[in-house]
PDB file of all heavy atoms in Angstrom:
ATOM      1  N   VAL B 442      73.287  67.207 103.361  1.00  0.00           N
ATOM      2  CA  VAL B 442      72.940  66.097 102.383  1.00  0.00           C
ATOM      3  C   VAL B 442      71.639  65.602 102.650  1.00  0.00           C
ATOM      4  O   VAL B 442      70.779  65.431 101.782  1.00  0.00           O
ATOM      5  CB  VAL B 442      74.022  64.925 102.352  1.00  0.00           C
ATOM      6  CG1 VAL B 442      73.634  63.997 101.444  1.00  0.00           C
ATOM      7  CG2 VAL B 442      75.377  65.641 101.988  1.00  0.00           C
ATOM      8  N   VAL B 443      71.314  65.328 104.015  1.00  0.00           N
ATOM      9  CA  VAL B 443      70.096  64.815 104.363  1.00  0.00           C
ATOM     10  C   VAL B 443      68.983  65.765 103.971  1.00  0.00           C
ATOM     11  O   VAL B 443      67.919  65.460 103.468  1.00  0.00           O
ATOM     12  CB  VAL B 443      69.974  64.548 105.973  1.00  0.00           C
ATOM     13  CG1 VAL B 443      68.767  63.807 106.261  1.00  0.00           C
ATOM     14  CG2 VAL B 443      71.191  63.511 106.230  1.00  0.00           C
ATOM     15  N   ALA B 444      69.284  67.009 104.262  1.00  0.00           N
ATOM     16  CA  ALA B 444      68.138  68.030 103.946  1.00  0.00           C
ATOM     17  C   ALA B 444      67.830  68.014 102.517  1.00  0.00           C
ATOM     18  O   ALA B 444      66.824  68.190 102.126  1.00  0.00           O
ATOM     19  CB  ALA B 444      68.726  69.351 104.328  1.00  0.00           C
ATOM     20  N   ALA B 445      68.946  67.892 101.750  1.00  0.00           N
ATOM     21  CA  ALA B 445      68.640  67.840 100.219  1.00  0.00           C
ATOM     22  C   ALA B 445      67.849  66.560  99.919  1.00  0.00           C
ATOM     23  O   ALA B 445      66.812  66.676  99.156  1.00  0.00           O
ATOM     24  CB  ALA B 445      70.019  67.689  99.563  1.00  0.00           C
ATOM     25  N   SER B 446      68.157  65.537 100.521  1.00  0.00           N
ATOM     26  CA  SER B 446      67.347  64.289 100.249  1.00  0.00           C
ATOM     27  C   SER B 446      65.903  64.309 100.553  1.00  0.00           C
ATOM     28  O   SER B 446      65.102  63.970  99.758  1.00  0.00           O
ATOM     29  CB  SER B 446      68.140  63.021 100.613  1.00  0.00           C
ATOM     30  OG  SER B 446      68.309  63.043 102.057  1.00  0.00           O
ATOM     31  N   TYR B 447      65.516  65.000 101.716  1.00  0.00           N
ATOM     32  CA  TYR B 447      64.172  64.793 102.001  1.00  0.00           C
ATOM     33  C   TYR B 447      63.318  65.777 101.136  1.00  0.00           C
ATOM     34  O   TYR B 447      62.205  65.429 100.855  1.00  0.00           O
ATOM     35  CB  TYR B 447      63.857  64.989 103.643  1.00  0.00           C
ATOM     36  CG  TYR B 447      63.951  66.359 104.086  1.00  0.00           C
ATOM     37  CD1 TYR B 447      62.886  67.134 103.970  1.00  0.00           C
ATOM     38  CD2 TYR B 447      64.921  66.767 104.878  1.00  0.00           C
ATOM     39  CE1 TYR B 447      62.875  68.458 104.439  1.00  0.00           C
ATOM     40  CE2 TYR B 447      65.045  67.959 105.476  1.00  0.00           C
ATOM     41  CZ  TYR B 447      63.959  68.909 105.166  1.00  0.00           C
ATOM     42  OH  TYR B 447      64.021  70.124 105.714  1.00  0.00           O
ATOM     43  N   LEU B 448      63.828  66.897 100.917  1.00  0.00           N
ATOM     44  CA  LEU B 448      63.087  67.859  99.984  1.00  0.00           C
ATOM     45  C   LEU B 448      62.955  67.269  98.604  1.00  0.00           C
ATOM     46  O   LEU B 448      61.931  67.334  97.974  1.00  0.00           O
ATOM     47  CB  LEU B 448      63.883  69.252  99.939  1.00  0.00           C
ATOM     48  CG  LEU B 448      63.691  69.953 101.120  1.00  0.00           C
ATOM     49  CD1 LEU B 448      64.664  71.112 101.208  1.00  0.00           C
ATOM     50  CD2 LEU B 448      62.317  70.492 101.270  1.00  0.00           C
ATOM     51  N   LEU B 449      64.083  66.535  98.211  1.00  0.00           N
ATOM     52  CA  LEU B 449      63.965  65.932  96.916  1.00  0.00           C
ATOM     53  C   LEU B 449      62.951  64.830  96.851  1.00  0.00           C
ATOM     54  O   LEU B 449      62.275  64.622  95.876  1.00  0.00           O
ATOM     55  CB  LEU B 449      65.379  65.507  96.494  1.00  0.00           C
ATOM     56  CG  LEU B 449      65.619  65.760  95.056  1.00  0.00           C
ATOM     57  CD1 LEU B 449      65.686  67.215  94.769  1.00  0.00           C
ATOM     58  CD2 LEU B 449      66.837  65.009  94.537  1.00  0.00           C
ATOM     59  N   TRP B 450      62.922  64.084  97.907  1.00  0.00           N
ATOM     60  CA  TRP B 450      61.989  62.967  98.084  1.00  0.00           C
ATOM     61  C   TRP B 450      60.511  63.347  97.938  1.00  0.00           C
ATOM     62  O   TRP B 450      59.772  62.880  97.121  1.00  0.00           O
ATOM     63  CB  TRP B 450      62.258  62.155  99.317  1.00  0.00           C
ATOM     64  CG  TRP B 450      61.235  61.189  99.606  1.00  0.00           C
ATOM     65  CD1 TRP B 450      61.203  59.830  99.165  1.00  0.00           C
ATOM     66  CD2 TRP B 450      60.094  61.270 100.442  1.00  0.00           C
ATOM     67  NE1 TRP B 450      60.186  59.230  99.664  1.00  0.00           N
ATOM     68  CE2 TRP B 450      59.466  59.965 100.453  1.00  0.00           C
ATOM     69  CE3 TRP B 450      59.516  62.308 101.253  1.00  0.00           C
ATOM     70  CZ2 TRP B 450      58.287  59.785 101.079  1.00  0.00           C
ATOM     71  CZ3 TRP B 450      58.319  62.085 101.860  1.00  0.00           C
ATOM     72  CH2 TRP B 450      57.658  60.778 101.729  1.00  0.00           C
ATOM     73  N   VAL B 451      60.167  64.533  98.565  1.00  0.00           N
ATOM     74  CA  VAL B 451      58.827  65.000  98.641  1.00  0.00           C
ATOM     75  C   VAL B 451      58.508  65.563  97.188  1.00  0.00           C
ATOM     76  O   VAL B 451      57.431  65.449  96.628  1.00  0.00           O
ATOM     77  CB  VAL B 451      58.630  66.027  99.708  1.00  0.00           C
ATOM     78  CG1 VAL B 451      59.333  67.252  99.559  1.00  0.00           C
ATOM     79  CG2 VAL B 451      57.098  66.168  99.850  1.00  0.00           C
ATOM     80  N   GLN B 452      59.468  66.205  96.647  1.00  0.00           N
ATOM     81  CA  GLN B 452      59.299  66.786  95.253  1.00  0.00           C
ATOM     82  C   GLN B 452      59.038  65.743  94.248  1.00  0.00           C
ATOM     83  O   GLN B 452      58.048  65.805  93.417  1.00  0.00           O
ATOM     84  CB  GLN B 452      60.401  67.580  94.866  1.00  0.00           C
ATOM     85  CG  GLN B 452      60.355  68.449  93.570  1.00  0.00           C
ATOM     86  CD  GLN B 452      61.520  68.842  92.981  1.00  0.00           C
ATOM     87  OE1 GLN B 452      62.585  68.494  93.508  1.00  0.00           O
ATOM     88  NE2 GLN B 452      61.517  69.766  91.982  1.00  0.00           N
ATOM     89  N   ARG B 453      59.878  64.634  94.492  1.00  0.00           N
ATOM     90  CA  ARG B 453      59.603  63.533  93.544  1.00  0.00           C
ATOM     91  C   ARG B 453      58.233  62.848  93.722  1.00  0.00           C
ATOM     92  O   ARG B 453      57.546  62.446  92.783  1.00  0.00           O
ATOM     93  CB  ARG B 453      60.704  62.460  93.779  1.00  0.00           C
ATOM     94  CG  ARG B 453      60.786  61.354  92.805  1.00  0.00           C
ATOM     95  CD  ARG B 453      61.946  60.359  93.140  1.00  0.00           C
ATOM     96  NE  ARG B 453      61.557  59.030  93.259  1.00  0.00           N
ATOM     97  CZ  ARG B 453      61.916  58.239  94.005  1.00  0.00           C
ATOM     98  NH1 ARG B 453      62.958  58.496  94.918  1.00  0.00           N
ATOM     99  NH2 ARG B 453      61.566  57.018  94.096  1.00  0.00           N
ATOM    100  N   ARG B 454      57.973  62.624  94.917  1.00  0.00           N
ATOM    101  CA  ARG B 454      56.661  61.932  95.310  1.00  0.00           C
ATOM    102  C   ARG B 454      55.535  62.739  94.762  1.00  0.00           C
ATOM    103  O   ARG B 454      54.382  62.134  94.235  1.00  0.00           O
ATOM    104  CB  ARG B 454      56.495  61.780  96.750  1.00  0.00           C
ATOM    105  CG  ARG B 454      57.313  60.532  97.293  1.00  0.00           C
ATOM    106  CD  ARG B 454      57.010  59.186  96.717  1.00  0.00           C
ATOM    107  NE  ARG B 454      55.559  58.797  96.930  1.00  0.00           N
ATOM    108  CZ  ARG B 454      55.277  58.150  98.040  1.00  0.00           C
ATOM    109  NH1 ARG B 454      56.032  57.870  98.894  1.00  0.00           N
ATOM    110  NH2 ARG B 454      53.871  57.898  98.233  1.00  0.00           N
ATOM    111  N   ILE B 455      55.499  64.074  94.855  1.00  0.00           N
ATOM    112  CA  ILE B 455      54.445  64.793  94.420  1.00  0.00           C
ATOM    113  C   ILE B 455      54.241  64.920  92.967  1.00  0.00           C
ATOM    114  O   ILE B 455      53.315  64.959  92.324  1.00  0.00           O
ATOM    115  CB  ILE B 455      54.439  66.182  95.140  1.00  0.00           C
ATOM    116  CG1 ILE B 455      54.402  66.098  96.636  1.00  0.00           C
ATOM    117  CG2 ILE B 455      53.244  67.079  94.670  1.00  0.00           C
ATOM    118  CD1 ILE B 455      54.450  67.367  97.342  1.00  0.00           C
ATOM    119  N   PHE B 456      55.456  65.368  92.304  1.00  0.00           N
ATOM    120  CA  PHE B 456      55.328  65.839  90.963  1.00  0.00           C
ATOM    121  C   PHE B 456      55.803  64.894  89.840  1.00  0.00           C
ATOM    122  O   PHE B 456      55.451  65.040  88.772  1.00  0.00           O
ATOM    123  CB  PHE B 456      56.258  67.167  90.774  1.00  0.00           C
ATOM    124  CG  PHE B 456      55.575  68.340  91.585  1.00  0.00           C
ATOM    125  CD1 PHE B 456      55.997  68.739  92.792  1.00  0.00           C
ATOM    126  CD2 PHE B 456      54.513  68.954  91.138  1.00  0.00           C
ATOM    127  CE1 PHE B 456      55.406  69.703  93.421  1.00  0.00           C
ATOM    128  CE2 PHE B 456      53.825  69.968  91.837  1.00  0.00           C
ATOM    129  CZ  PHE B 456      54.395  70.403  92.900  1.00  0.00           C
ATOM    130  N   LEU B 457      56.558  64.038  90.288  1.00  0.00           N
ATOM    131  CA  LEU B 457      57.158  63.092  89.213  1.00  0.00           C
ATOM    132  C   LEU B 457      56.478  61.768  89.270  1.00  0.00           C
ATOM    133  O   LEU B 457      55.642  61.461  90.155  1.00  0.00           O
ATOM    134  CB  LEU B 457      58.613  62.832  89.345  1.00  0.00           C
ATOM    135  CG  LEU B 457      59.481  64.040  89.364  1.00  0.00           C
ATOM    136  CD1 LEU B 457      60.984  63.843  89.427  1.00  0.00           C
ATOM    137  CD2 LEU B 457      59.171  64.950  88.203  1.00  0.00           C
ATOM    138  N   GLY B 458      56.816  60.801  88.357  1.00  0.00           N
ATOM    139  CA  GLY B 458      56.253  59.525  88.385  1.00  0.00           C
ATOM    140  C   GLY B 458      54.883  59.574  87.570  1.00  0.00           C
ATOM    141  O   GLY B 458      54.487  60.645  87.087  1.00  0.00           O
ATOM    142  N   PRO B 459      54.153  58.449  87.541  1.00  0.00           N
ATOM    143  CA  PRO B 459      52.944  58.444  86.740  1.00  0.00           C
ATOM    144  C   PRO B 459      51.816  59.115  87.502  1.00  0.00           C
ATOM    145  O   PRO B 459      51.802  59.120  88.631  1.00  0.00           O
ATOM    146  CB  PRO B 459      52.650  56.950  86.533  1.00  0.00           C
ATOM    147  CG  PRO B 459      53.337  56.222  87.709  1.00  0.00           C
ATOM    148  CD  PRO B 459      54.593  57.164  87.961  1.00  0.00           C
ATOM    149  N   VAL B 460      50.783  59.568  86.865  1.00  0.00           N
ATOM    150  CA  VAL B 460      49.534  60.004  87.465  1.00  0.00           C
ATOM    151  C   VAL B 460      48.673  58.936  87.827  1.00  0.00           C
ATOM    152  O   VAL B 460      47.927  58.447  87.017  1.00  0.00           O
ATOM    153  CB  VAL B 460      48.792  61.066  86.588  1.00  0.00           C
ATOM    154  CG1 VAL B 460      47.754  61.696  87.389  1.00  0.00           C
ATOM    155  CG2 VAL B 460      49.779  61.999  86.066  1.00  0.00           C
ATOM    156  N   ASP B 461      48.982  58.140  88.998  1.00  0.00           N
ATOM    157  CA  ASP B 461      48.250  57.045  89.208  1.00  0.00           C
ATOM    158  C   ASP B 461      46.989  57.103  90.134  1.00  0.00           C
ATOM    159  O   ASP B 461      46.159  56.093  90.243  1.00  0.00           O
ATOM    160  CB  ASP B 461      49.138  55.914  89.734  1.00  0.00           C
ATOM    161  CG  ASP B 461      50.005  56.452  90.938  1.00  0.00           C
ATOM    162  OD1 ASP B 461      49.756  57.672  91.375  1.00  0.00           O
ATOM    163  OD2 ASP B 461      50.962  55.764  91.409  1.00  0.00           O
ATOM    164  N   LYS B 462      46.823  58.240  90.887  1.00  0.00           N
ATOM    165  CA  LYS B 462      45.659  58.492  91.597  1.00  0.00           C
ATOM    166  C   LYS B 462      44.615  59.143  90.687  1.00  0.00           C
ATOM    167  O   LYS B 462      44.829  60.142  90.079  1.00  0.00           O
ATOM    168  CB  LYS B 462      45.944  59.398  92.696  1.00  0.00           C
ATOM    169  CG  LYS B 462      47.173  58.895  93.565  1.00  0.00           C
ATOM    170  CD  LYS B 462      46.947  57.774  94.449  1.00  0.00           C
ATOM    171  CE  LYS B 462      48.148  57.487  95.399  1.00  0.00           C
ATOM    172  NZ  LYS B 462      49.340  57.217  94.683  1.00  0.00           N
TER     173      LYS B 462
END
Side-chain angles (χ1 to χ4, degrees):
Chain B
V442 178
V443 182
S446 54
Y447 77 76
L448 284 169
L449 218 68
W450 173 81
V451 70
Q452 189 192 9
R453 184 180 130 214
R454 284 297 299 272
I455 297 178
F456 291 103
L457 304 183
V460 189
D461 47 6
K462 311 280 184 309

